[in-house]
Amino acid sequence: MGLGNYLSKWIGKIKISSEQTVVIDIPATIYYEELAIYTAQSYLANAISMCEMRVFSKGKPVKNEDYYLLNVSPNKNENSNYFWHKVIRKMIREEKGALVVEINGELHCAEDFSVLEERPILGNIYGGVVLAGGLQLNKIFTAQEVYLFKMEDECVKGLIDGMYQEYGKLLETAARTFRDTNGRKFKFKVNSLKAGDEEFAKDFSEIISKNIKAYMENEYATYVEYEGEELTEESSNKPQKSSEDFISIRKDIFEVVGQAFKIPASMMLGSVTNVKDVLDIFLTFAVDPLANTISEVLNKRATAYEYTKGNYYKCYSGRIKHRDLFDSAANVEKIVGSAVLNTDEVREELELMPLDTEWSKQYRITKNFQNVEDATKNVEGGENDG
C-alpha cells in the first residue's frame, strides 16, 4: 500500500505549492493509535532482541558464523538488535510480513518486496526487493532462498486501523467538548458607526485583535479600552468539564491494542505491580509464539535434511527475564543437584563466563534422589523384615 493510500484514510486535505512541497493536515488523534502500536511493537521487539538465536550442529550448540550473524551483526551496517527490531516492526505493520534475503553471506531485511507469483506447490516467487537506502535488487528469489517472517493471515495493524476510525471520532468529540466547556469567550462592543467603517475593520484586524489575543493568552497583561469600546467576558452556564473522558478513551485504546498483541493491559499502561505474573503472561502469549515463528522460519530455510541431522536453529527466550545472582542461588542449587544443567550451563544462564573445566561440565545429582525401583525395594524389604 502506497503512502498516499495510507494517509488518505486519516488526512483531511493535501496542499501542493508551486515548489511541489506537500503540506499535510494530520488529525492529532492519529498519534494516540501510533503511540499505542509503537508501545506494543517496542515491547515485542525488545523481548526478541534479548533472545539468543542458538545454532545447533549435530544436536549440540555451537558458536559459528551463523551464530554471529543472528546474534551480533547480520550485515556491515546493522547490529542484531536493530535488525530484529526491523523484522518485528514489519511483521506487525506489514500485511506481507518481513522478508529477509541473504546476499554475500549477510542478512538484509527488505524495506519492500512483491510476491510475483503465488505457487502453492512449488513455492512463491519474490521480486521487487528494496533494501535500506532504496537499493533495488534485480534478482528474483524463490521461496527456498528467502526468510519470510509472518505469523497470521490477518494483519493486526489493519484491524486496529479499522477499529480506530470510531475511536478517533470519540477522541475528537471529547476534545471538542473539553474546549467548549472550559474555554473563555469575550465580547467586544464598538460604536455602531464603526461597524461598517473599512478603516476600522483594517485596524481591528491588524492591531486591536492582536492586543486582545495577547491580553487573553498572557498571565499578566493590560488591555487599553477606548471610549465607545468595551471588552467583556461572556458567562457560560455549562458546567466545567475535566479531561477524564479524554483520558479514559486514550486508556481504552492502549488496552485494546495490547489485547490485539496479547500484551497485558498493565504493561501497556505502564502500571505494572505484580511483575512476575504479568511478565509470565507476556512471555507465554506474546513473545514465545514470535520466538517459535522465528525458529521455524530459520529451520525452514535450512531444509528438512539438515534439521533431521541435528543441524537447526532455536530462538531461545529463557534469558529475557532479569536474573539476580543472589535471588537465584537456591534455585541454582536445585537445578545443578537434579542434573538439569551443569555448572557451566548455569553460569551462562546467569550471564557469567563458563569455567570450561572438566568438573564444571559434569552433571551432578544429590543423594536425596534415587530410582523408583530402589525406593520400592527398600520399602518392601522393610515390610518383609517385620
Side-chain angles (χ1 to χ4, degrees):
M1 180 173 62
L3 177 63
N5 293 333
Y6 171 74
L7 293 176
S8 65
K9 296 188 301 182
W10 307 104
I11 297 171
K13 54 185 174 179
I14 299 179
K15 306 172 186 175
I16 302 180
S17 68
S18 57
E19 291 84 11
Q20 297 299 311
T21 299
V22 180
V23 181
I24 302 173
D25 295 333
I26 302 178
T29 54
I30 190 177
Y31 291 105
Y32 286 94
E33 180 201 7
E34 284 300 310
L35 181 59
I37 293 177
Y38 171 77
T39 301
Q41 169 194 308
S42 181
Y43 271 131
L44 295 171
N46 285 339
I48 292 299
S49 66
M50 288 293 294
C51 293
E52 181 187 13
M53 304 298 168
R54 292 181 170 178
V55 181
F56 291 84
S57 177
K58 297 180 180 179
K60 296 184 178 180
V62 296
K63 292 186 177 180
N64 54 13
E65 186 177 350
D66 285 353
Y67 185 92
Y68 179 84
L69 289 175
L70 295 171
N71 292 280
V72 182
S73 177
N75 57 65
K76 294 181 179 66
N77 293 323
E78 298 173 350
N79 57 45
S80 63
N81 182 71
Y82 182 85
F83 173 80
W84 289 114
H85 268 73
K86 185 189 294 187
V87 170
I88 298 303
R89 172 171 57 83
K90 289 192 171 294
M91 288 180 70
I92 289 174
R93 293 179 176 270
E94 302 289 340
E95 186 175 356
K96 297 181 294 185
L99 187 81
V100 174
V101 295
E102 185 176 347
I103 301 174
N104 298 329
E106 296 183 339
L107 301 177
H108 297 268
C109 182
E111 296 293 334
D112 194 17
F113 69 95
S114 301
V115 181
L116 300 182
E117 185 179 351
E118 291 189 3
R119 304 192 303 177
I121 306 300
L122 300 177
N124 293 346
I125 301 296
Y126 300 92
V129 177
V130 180
L131 302 185
L135 177 62
Q136 175 84 47
L137 300 182
N138 296 323
K139 182 178 178 180
I140 302 300
F141 296 88
T142 64
Q144 292 75 26
E145 294 176 317
V146 300
Y147 302 90
L148 181 61
F149 295 95
K150 184 178 180 181
M151 284 191 63
E152 303 171 344
D153 289 336
E154 295 292 340
C155 178
V156 178
K157 174 65 165 59
L159 296 175
I160 293 173
D161 285 345
M163 175 215 68
Y164 190 76
Q165 292 184 26
E166 294 302 319
Y167 273 95
K169 295 175 184 177
L170 292 175
L171 279 170
E172 290 175 1
T173 302
R176 192 183 309 113
T177 303
F178 179 80
R179 290 194 299 267
D180 290 344
T181 56
N182 296 306
R184 300 175 62 193
K185 300 192 184 327
F186 291 80
K187 183 186 294 183
F188 184 56
K189 293 182 180 180
V190 297
N191 190 294
S192 60
L193 296 176
K194 292 183 178 181
D197 188 354
E198 293 183 1
E199 190 67 26
F200 171 77
K202 182 179 179 182
D203 290 342
F204 180 83
S205 176
E206 295 181 357
I207 302 174
I208 300 178
S209 63
K210 292 181 181 179
N211 293 336
I212 294 175
K213 182 178 180 183
Y215 170 73
M216 290 188 293
E217 291 181 350
N218 290 286
E219 184 178 0
Y220 302 101
T222 302
Y223 175 73
V224 180
E225 193 171 78
Y226 298 95
E227 185 178 355
E229 299 172 357
E230 183 181 356
L231 181 69
T232 58
E233 183 173 2
E234 287 189 307
S235 60
S236 174
N237 296 325
K238 297 180 181 179
Q240 291 284 307
K241 288 280 293 184
S242 69
S243 58
E244 289 182 0
D245 292 343
F246 200 81
I247 295 172
S248 178
I249 296 172
R250 173 197 170 278
K251 177 182 177 183
D252 196 37
I253 291 171
F254 272 69
E255 289 178 346
V256 170
V257 171
Q259 186 179 22
F261 289 106
K262 318 297 187 299
I263 300 175
S266 57
M267 283 186 65
M268 291 293 296
L269 298 173
S271 55
V272 180
T273 52
N274 51 335
V275 178
K276 182 183 182 305
D277 294 337
V278 170
L279 188 57
D280 285 343
I281 294 172
F282 172 63
L283 293 176
T284 301
F285 296 105
V287 177
D288 284 346
L290 268 178
N292 185 56
T293 297
I294 291 173
S295 299
E296 291 175 352
V297 171
L298 293 175
N299 289 318
K300 175 182 174 296
R301 172 73 169 79
T303 73
Y305 175 80
E306 294 293 336
Y307 186 83
T308 56
K309 296 295 183 183
N311 304 325
Y312 60 93
Y313 305 89
K314 182 175 179 57
C315 180
Y316 177 61
S317 60
R319 295 185 181 178
I320 293 177
K321 288 185 178 181
H322 172 73
R323 295 190 179 117
D324 182 88
L325 180 62
F326 296 99
D327 291 341
S328 304
N331 293 326
V332 166
E333 182 181 1
K334 294 177 182 178
I335 290 173
V336 173
S338 57
V340 174
L341 298 174
N342 62 38
T343 301
D344 276 356
E345 289 169 338
V346 169
R347 290 179 65 87
E348 287 190 57
E349 288 294 325
L350 294 172
E351 297 188 354
L352 299 172
M353 289 294 296
L355 300 176
D356 197 23
T357 62
E358 183 178 349
W359 70 264
S360 63
K361 295 179 181 180
Q362 295 176 353
Y363 291 89
R364 290 174 168 76
I365 190 164
T366 65
K367 293 183 179 180
N368 296 329
F369 294 94
Q370 58 181 325
N371 294 330
V372 176
E373 293 82 358
D374 295 339
T376 306
K377 187 183 300 182
N378 292 335
V379 172
E380 291 176 351
E383 292 177 350
N384 293 333
D385 293 339

